[in-house]
Amino acid sequence: AGGGNEEYYANLIADAMIPYLNASGISYGRNNPSGTVTDSIALSNAGNYDFHLAIHSNAAPESLSGMIRGSDAYYYRDSAAGRRDAEIIANNLKLIYPLPSRVTVVPTTTLVELRRTKAPAVLVELAYHDNIEDADWIRGNVEAIGRNLALSVADILGVAFVEPS
């Protein structure tokens, strides 16, 4: 809603994370923005990573388009580490998302990016891109979301979060 697309904003958010990850001494790999989900999984599995984060925005079913708001942190149902990581991300998102009561942690077995990665993984649906308030929140908070997700990654990895100089 309001212009742009999910891939564009997810990559802007990933870009916004980089200075915080670097300042905190966190090594990372990055998706190829023109690649597929299968490519991202292969890149993740080819590295020696402790955590895999997929950044997305959500869309409601057509009959509810534009009517739902919220943020979801998905993890593979059978992964204790994934659940812990999703809870960290959700708890941190509650600090910046305008409706903290609508930030949830969701177990699943259907999302391939959670099933097929070697590292514990979280797929975060930051907000509903078909809802104008949520879409505006994403567009207006790219830097804050990137900082928040980088803080979550530092928490997940047990390293000190450092603001870039």
PDB file of all heavy atoms in Angstrom, residues 5-30:
ATOM      1  N   ASN A   5       7.936  -1.993  -2.840  1.00  0.00           N
ATOM      2  CA  ASN A   5       7.633  -3.414  -2.750  1.00  0.00           C
ATOM      3  C   ASN A   5       8.422  -4.045  -1.612  1.00  0.00           C
ATOM      4  O   ASN A   5       9.374  -3.465  -1.085  1.00  0.00           O
ATOM      5  CB  ASN A   5       7.865  -4.129  -4.088  1.00  0.00           C
ATOM      6  CG  ASN A   5       9.321  -4.168  -4.501  1.00  0.00           C
ATOM      7  OD1 ASN A   5      10.197  -4.530  -3.721  1.00  0.00           O
ATOM      8  ND2 ASN A   5       9.592  -3.797  -5.737  1.00  0.00           N
ATOM      9  N   GLU A   6       8.019  -5.246  -1.254  1.00  0.00           N
ATOM     10  CA  GLU A   6       8.598  -5.951  -0.116  1.00  0.00           C
ATOM     11  C   GLU A   6      10.107  -6.136  -0.264  1.00  0.00           C
ATOM     12  O   GLU A   6      10.871  -5.868   0.677  1.00  0.00           O
ATOM     13  CB  GLU A   6       7.921  -7.318   0.036  1.00  0.00           C
ATOM     14  CG  GLU A   6       8.515  -8.174   1.119  1.00  0.00           C
ATOM     15  CD  GLU A   6       7.882  -9.554   1.206  1.00  0.00           C
ATOM     16  OE1 GLU A   6       7.251 -10.012   0.222  1.00  0.00           O
ATOM     17  OE2 GLU A   6       8.026 -10.172   2.271  1.00  0.00           O
ATOM     18  N   GLU A   7      10.545  -6.596  -1.418  1.00  0.00           N
ATOM     19  CA  GLU A   7      11.973  -6.850  -1.622  1.00  0.00           C
ATOM     20  C   GLU A   7      12.794  -5.578  -1.424  1.00  0.00           C
ATOM     21  O   GLU A   7      13.839  -5.592  -0.764  1.00  0.00           O
ATOM     22  CB  GLU A   7      12.203  -7.419  -3.027  1.00  0.00           C
ATOM     23  CG  GLU A   7      13.654  -7.698  -3.318  1.00  0.00           C
ATOM     24  CD  GLU A   7      13.880  -8.220  -4.731  1.00  0.00           C
ATOM     25  OE1 GLU A   7      13.044  -7.966  -5.619  1.00  0.00           O
ATOM     26  OE2 GLU A   7      14.906  -8.879  -4.928  1.00  0.00           O
ATOM     27  N   TYR A   8      12.327  -4.474  -1.982  1.00  0.00           N
ATOM     28  CA  TYR A   8      13.050  -3.204  -1.877  1.00  0.00           C
ATOM     29  C   TYR A   8      13.232  -2.803  -0.417  1.00  0.00           C
ATOM     30  O   TYR A   8      14.347  -2.500   0.021  1.00  0.00           O
ATOM     31  CB  TYR A   8      12.288  -2.120  -2.654  1.00  0.00           C
ATOM     32  CG  TYR A   8      12.888  -0.752  -2.520  1.00  0.00           C
ATOM     33  CD1 TYR A   8      14.055  -0.408  -3.198  1.00  0.00           C
ATOM     34  CD2 TYR A   8      12.297   0.215  -1.704  1.00  0.00           C
ATOM     35  CE1 TYR A   8      14.614   0.851  -3.077  1.00  0.00           C
ATOM     36  CE2 TYR A   8      12.849   1.471  -1.568  1.00  0.00           C
ATOM     37  CZ  TYR A   8      14.010   1.788  -2.261  1.00  0.00           C
ATOM     38  OH  TYR A   8      14.555   3.044  -2.126  1.00  0.00           O
ATOM     39  N   TYR A   9      12.150  -2.814   0.353  1.00  0.00           N
ATOM     40  CA  TYR A   9      12.236  -2.367   1.741  1.00  0.00           C
ATOM     41  C   TYR A   9      12.961  -3.372   2.639  1.00  0.00           C
ATOM     42  O   TYR A   9      13.696  -2.979   3.541  1.00  0.00           O
ATOM     43  CB  TYR A   9      10.856  -1.995   2.280  1.00  0.00           C
ATOM     44  CG  TYR A   9      10.441  -0.648   1.749  1.00  0.00           C
ATOM     45  CD1 TYR A   9       9.583  -0.542   0.672  1.00  0.00           C
ATOM     46  CD2 TYR A   9      10.979   0.515   2.277  1.00  0.00           C
ATOM     47  CE1 TYR A   9       9.247   0.701   0.142  1.00  0.00           C
ATOM     48  CE2 TYR A   9      10.655   1.751   1.753  1.00  0.00           C
ATOM     49  CZ  TYR A   9       9.791   1.848   0.683  1.00  0.00           C
ATOM     50  OH  TYR A   9       9.485   3.071   0.168  1.00  0.00           O
ATOM     51  N   ALA A  10      12.810  -4.663   2.390  1.00  0.00           N
ATOM     52  CA  ALA A  10      13.552  -5.657   3.170  1.00  0.00           C
ATOM     53  C   ALA A  10      15.052  -5.478   2.963  1.00  0.00           C
ATOM     54  O   ALA A  10      15.831  -5.577   3.921  1.00  0.00           O
ATOM     55  CB  ALA A  10      13.115  -7.069   2.792  1.00  0.00           C
ATOM     56  N   ASN A  11      15.458  -5.177   1.740  1.00  0.00           N
ATOM     57  CA  ASN A  11      16.880  -4.959   1.478  1.00  0.00           C
ATOM     58  C   ASN A  11      17.373  -3.640   2.064  1.00  0.00           C
ATOM     59  O   ASN A  11      18.506  -3.562   2.543  1.00  0.00           O
ATOM     60  CB  ASN A  11      17.176  -5.070  -0.014  1.00  0.00           C
ATOM     61  CG  ASN A  11      17.303  -6.513  -0.433  1.00  0.00           C
ATOM     62  OD1 ASN A  11      18.225  -7.206  -0.030  1.00  0.00           O
ATOM     63  ND2 ASN A  11      16.350  -6.993  -1.219  1.00  0.00           N
ATOM     64  N   LEU A  12      16.539  -2.603   2.082  1.00  0.00           N
ATOM     65  CA  LEU A  12      16.926  -1.357   2.761  1.00  0.00           C
ATOM     66  C   LEU A  12      17.134  -1.610   4.257  1.00  0.00           C
ATOM     67  O   LEU A  12      18.074  -1.078   4.862  1.00  0.00           O
ATOM     68  CB  LEU A  12      15.857  -0.276   2.580  1.00  0.00           C
ATOM     69  CG  LEU A  12      15.755   0.405   1.232  1.00  0.00           C
ATOM     70  CD1 LEU A  12      14.639   1.452   1.260  1.00  0.00           C
ATOM     71  CD2 LEU A  12      17.081   1.066   0.835  1.00  0.00           C
ATOM     72  N   ILE A  13      16.266  -2.410   4.841  1.00  0.00           N
ATOM     73  CA  ILE A  13      16.393  -2.731   6.266  1.00  0.00           C
ATOM     74  C   ILE A  13      17.664  -3.540   6.514  1.00  0.00           C
ATOM     75  O   ILE A  13      18.411  -3.270   7.471  1.00  0.00           O
ATOM     76  CB  ILE A  13      15.123  -3.445   6.769  1.00  0.00           C
ATOM     77  CG1 ILE A  13      13.957  -2.447   6.794  1.00  0.00           C
ATOM     78  CG2 ILE A  13      15.351  -4.076   8.141  1.00  0.00           C
ATOM     79  CD1 ILE A  13      12.585  -3.071   6.896  1.00  0.00           C
ATOM     80  N   ALA A  14      17.940  -4.515   5.664  1.00  0.00           N
ATOM     81  CA  ALA A  14      19.185  -5.282   5.792  1.00  0.00           C
ATOM     82  C   ALA A  14      20.390  -4.346   5.670  1.00  0.00           C
ATOM     83  O   ALA A  14      21.350  -4.457   6.449  1.00  0.00           O
ATOM     84  CB  ALA A  14      19.241  -6.398   4.747  1.00  0.00           C
ATOM     85  N   ASP A  15      20.345  -3.420   4.724  1.00  0.00           N
ATOM     86  CA  ASP A  15      21.428  -2.434   4.590  1.00  0.00           C
ATOM     87  C   ASP A  15      21.581  -1.616   5.870  1.00  0.00           C
ATOM     88  O   ASP A  15      22.698  -1.324   6.301  1.00  0.00           O
ATOM     89  CB  ASP A  15      21.163  -1.485   3.423  1.00  0.00           C
ATOM     90  CG  ASP A  15      21.242  -2.136   2.057  1.00  0.00           C
ATOM     91  OD1 ASP A  15      21.827  -3.236   1.934  1.00  0.00           O
ATOM     92  OD2 ASP A  15      20.712  -1.533   1.098  1.00  0.00           O
ATOM     93  N   ALA A  16      20.463  -1.232   6.478  1.00  0.00           N
ATOM     94  CA  ALA A  16      20.499  -0.426   7.704  1.00  0.00           C
ATOM     95  C   ALA A  16      21.091  -1.203   8.877  1.00  0.00           C
ATOM     96  O   ALA A  16      21.625  -0.599   9.818  1.00  0.00           O
ATOM     97  CB  ALA A  16      19.091   0.078   8.039  1.00  0.00           C
ATOM     98  N   MET A  17      20.998  -2.521   8.855  1.00  0.00           N
ATOM     99  CA  MET A  17      21.567  -3.351   9.919  1.00  0.00           C
ATOM    100  C   MET A  17      23.094  -3.378   9.891  1.00  0.00           C
ATOM    101  O   MET A  17      23.739  -3.517  10.939  1.00  0.00           O
ATOM    102  CB  MET A  17      21.062  -4.792   9.800  1.00  0.00           C
ATOM    103  CG  MET A  17      19.594  -4.993  10.063  1.00  0.00           C
ATOM    104  SD  MET A  17      19.072  -6.713   9.757  1.00  0.00           S
ATOM    105  CE  MET A  17      19.951  -7.583  11.066  1.00  0.00           C
ATOM    106  N   ILE A  18      23.669  -3.271   8.724  1.00  0.00           N
ATOM    107  CA  ILE A  18      25.102  -3.516   8.530  1.00  0.00           C
ATOM    108  C   ILE A  18      26.009  -2.668   9.426  1.00  0.00           C
ATOM    109  O   ILE A  18      26.916  -3.217  10.058  1.00  0.00           O
ATOM    110  CB  ILE A  18      25.464  -3.422   7.035  1.00  0.00           C
ATOM    111  CG1 ILE A  18      24.861  -4.628   6.312  1.00  0.00           C
ATOM    112  CG2 ILE A  18      26.970  -3.341   6.824  1.00  0.00           C
ATOM    113  CD1 ILE A  18      24.980  -4.599   4.810  1.00  0.00           C
ATOM    114  N   PRO A  19      25.807  -1.348   9.542  1.00  0.00           N
ATOM    115  CA  PRO A  19      26.711  -0.593  10.417  1.00  0.00           C
ATOM    116  C   PRO A  19      26.671  -1.074  11.871  1.00  0.00           C
ATOM    117  O   PRO A  19      27.702  -1.076  12.555  1.00  0.00           O
ATOM    118  CB  PRO A  19      26.212   0.853  10.304  1.00  0.00           C
ATOM    119  CG  PRO A  19      25.434   0.900   9.034  1.00  0.00           C
ATOM    120  CD  PRO A  19      24.877  -0.475   8.838  1.00  0.00           C
ATOM    121  N   TYR A  20      25.513  -1.489  12.344  1.00  0.00           N
ATOM    122  CA  TYR A  20      25.379  -1.983  13.722  1.00  0.00           C
ATOM    123  C   TYR A  20      26.040  -3.352  13.878  1.00  0.00           C
ATOM    124  O   TYR A  20      26.697  -3.607  14.888  1.00  0.00           O
ATOM    125  CB  TYR A  20      23.906  -2.060  14.122  1.00  0.00           C
ATOM    126  CG  TYR A  20      23.240  -0.715  14.102  1.00  0.00           C
ATOM    127  CD1 TYR A  20      22.486  -0.302  13.013  1.00  0.00           C
ATOM    128  CD2 TYR A  20      23.372   0.172  15.173  1.00  0.00           C
ATOM    129  CE1 TYR A  20      21.880   0.937  12.979  1.00  0.00           C
ATOM    130  CE2 TYR A  20      22.776   1.418  15.151  1.00  0.00           C
ATOM    131  CZ  TYR A  20      22.031   1.799  14.046  1.00  0.00           C
ATOM    132  OH  TYR A  20      21.437   3.041  14.025  1.00  0.00           O
ATOM    133  N   LEU A  21      25.855  -4.223  12.891  1.00  0.00           N
ATOM    134  CA  LEU A  21      26.508  -5.536  12.938  1.00  0.00           C
ATOM    135  C   LEU A  21      28.021  -5.372  12.923  1.00  0.00           C
ATOM    136  O   LEU A  21      28.732  -6.003  13.710  1.00  0.00           O
ATOM    137  CB  LEU A  21      26.041  -6.404  11.768  1.00  0.00           C
ATOM    138  CG  LEU A  21      24.550  -6.748  11.725  1.00  0.00           C
ATOM    139  CD1 LEU A  21      24.210  -7.479  10.425  1.00  0.00           C
ATOM    140  CD2 LEU A  21      24.125  -7.550  12.928  1.00  0.00           C
ATOM    141  N   ASN A  22      28.518  -4.506  12.040  1.00  0.00           N
ATOM    142  CA  ASN A  22      29.956  -4.265  11.970  1.00  0.00           C
ATOM    143  C   ASN A  22      30.487  -3.708  13.289  1.00  0.00           C
ATOM    144  O   ASN A  22      31.506  -4.175  13.804  1.00  0.00           O
ATOM    145  CB  ASN A  22      30.294  -3.309  10.827  1.00  0.00           C
ATOM    146  CG  ASN A  22      30.148  -3.950   9.456  1.00  0.00           C
ATOM    147  OD1 ASN A  22      30.181  -5.168   9.313  1.00  0.00           O
ATOM    148  ND2 ASN A  22      29.957  -3.126   8.440  1.00  0.00           N
ATOM    149  N   ALA A  23      29.810  -2.701  13.845  1.00  0.00           N
ATOM    150  CA  ALA A  23      30.261  -2.073  15.090  1.00  0.00           C
ATOM    151  C   ALA A  23      30.255  -3.073  16.244  1.00  0.00           C
ATOM    152  O   ALA A  23      31.088  -2.989  17.150  1.00  0.00           O
ATOM    153  CB  ALA A  23      29.387  -0.872  15.425  1.00  0.00           C
ATOM    154  N   SER A  24      29.338  -4.024  16.193  1.00  0.00           N
ATOM    155  CA  SER A  24      29.222  -5.029  17.251  1.00  0.00           C
ATOM    156  C   SER A  24      30.127  -6.235  17.014  1.00  0.00           C
ATOM    157  O   SER A  24      30.130  -7.171  17.804  1.00  0.00           O
ATOM    158  CB  SER A  24      27.760  -5.488  17.376  1.00  0.00           C
ATOM    159  OG  SER A  24      26.923  -4.383  17.688  1.00  0.00           O
ATOM    160  N   GLY A  25      30.891  -6.217  15.923  1.00  0.00           N
ATOM    161  CA  GLY A  25      31.825  -7.299  15.624  1.00  0.00           C
ATOM    162  C   GLY A  25      31.152  -8.578  15.162  1.00  0.00           C
ATOM    163  O   GLY A  25      31.697  -9.666  15.316  1.00  0.00           O
ATOM    164  N   ILE A  26      29.975  -8.445  14.576  1.00  0.00           N
ATOM    165  CA  ILE A  26      29.223  -9.612  14.119  1.00  0.00           C
ATOM    166  C   ILE A  26      29.514  -9.858  12.640  1.00  0.00           C
ATOM    167  O   ILE A  26      29.290  -8.983  11.806  1.00  0.00           O
ATOM    168  CB  ILE A  26      27.704  -9.413  14.341  1.00  0.00           C
ATOM    169  CG1 ILE A  26      27.420  -9.255  15.833  1.00  0.00           C
ATOM    170  CG2 ILE A  26      26.903 -10.551  13.724  1.00  0.00           C
ATOM    171  CD1 ILE A  26      26.000  -8.814  16.155  1.00  0.00           C
ATOM    172  N   SER A  27      30.018 -11.045  12.332  1.00  0.00           N
ATOM    173  CA  SER A  27      30.238 -11.451  10.941  1.00  0.00           C
ATOM    174  C   SER A  27      28.906 -11.913  10.367  1.00  0.00           C
ATOM    175  O   SER A  27      28.112 -12.541  11.064  1.00  0.00           O
ATOM    176  CB  SER A  27      31.244 -12.592  10.868  1.00  0.00           C
ATOM    177  OG  SER A  27      32.481 -12.188  11.393  1.00  0.00           O
ATOM    178  N   TYR A  28      28.678 -11.634   9.120  1.00  0.00           N
ATOM    179  CA  TYR A  28      27.388 -11.971   8.511  1.00  0.00           C
ATOM    180  C   TYR A  28      27.573 -12.261   7.032  1.00  0.00           C
ATOM    181  O   TYR A  28      28.564 -11.867   6.417  1.00  0.00           O
ATOM    182  CB  TYR A  28      26.382 -10.826   8.692  1.00  0.00           C
ATOM    183  CG  TYR A  28      26.910  -9.510   8.161  1.00  0.00           C
ATOM    184  CD1 TYR A  28      26.727  -9.151   6.831  1.00  0.00           C
ATOM    185  CD2 TYR A  28      27.622  -8.653   8.981  1.00  0.00           C
ATOM    186  CE1 TYR A  28      27.242  -7.967   6.340  1.00  0.00           C
ATOM    187  CE2 TYR A  28      28.143  -7.474   8.496  1.00  0.00           C
ATOM    188  CZ  TYR A  28      27.938  -7.129   7.173  1.00  0.00           C
ATOM    189  OH  TYR A  28      28.467  -5.961   6.687  1.00  0.00           O
ATOM    190  N   GLY A  29      26.607 -12.943   6.493  1.00  0.00           N
ATOM    191  CA  GLY A  29      26.488 -13.135   5.061  1.00  0.00           C
ATOM    192  C   GLY A  29      25.228 -12.418   4.623  1.00  0.00           C
ATOM    193  O   GLY A  29      24.344 -12.161   5.436  1.00  0.00           O
ATOM    194  N   ARG A  30      25.147 -12.113   3.365  1.00  0.00           N
ATOM    195  CA  ARG A  30      24.020 -11.331   2.879  1.00  0.00           C
ATOM    196  C   ARG A  30      23.421 -12.010   1.662  1.00  0.00           C
ATOM    197  O   ARG A  30      24.142 -12.565   0.834  1.00  0.00           O
ATOM    198  CB  ARG A  30      24.553  -9.942   2.530  1.00  0.00           C
ATOM    199  CG  ARG A  30      23.573  -8.942   2.016  1.00  0.00           C
ATOM    200  CD  ARG A  30      22.606  -8.490   3.103  1.00  0.00           C
ATOM    201  NE  ARG A  30      21.449  -7.919   2.468  1.00  0.00           N
ATOM    202  CZ  ARG A  30      21.363  -6.671   2.035  1.00  0.00           C
ATOM    203  NH1 ARG A  30      22.352  -5.842   2.235  1.00  0.00           N
ATOM    204  NH2 ARG A  30      20.281  -6.260   1.431  1.00  0.00           N
TER     205      ARG A  30
END
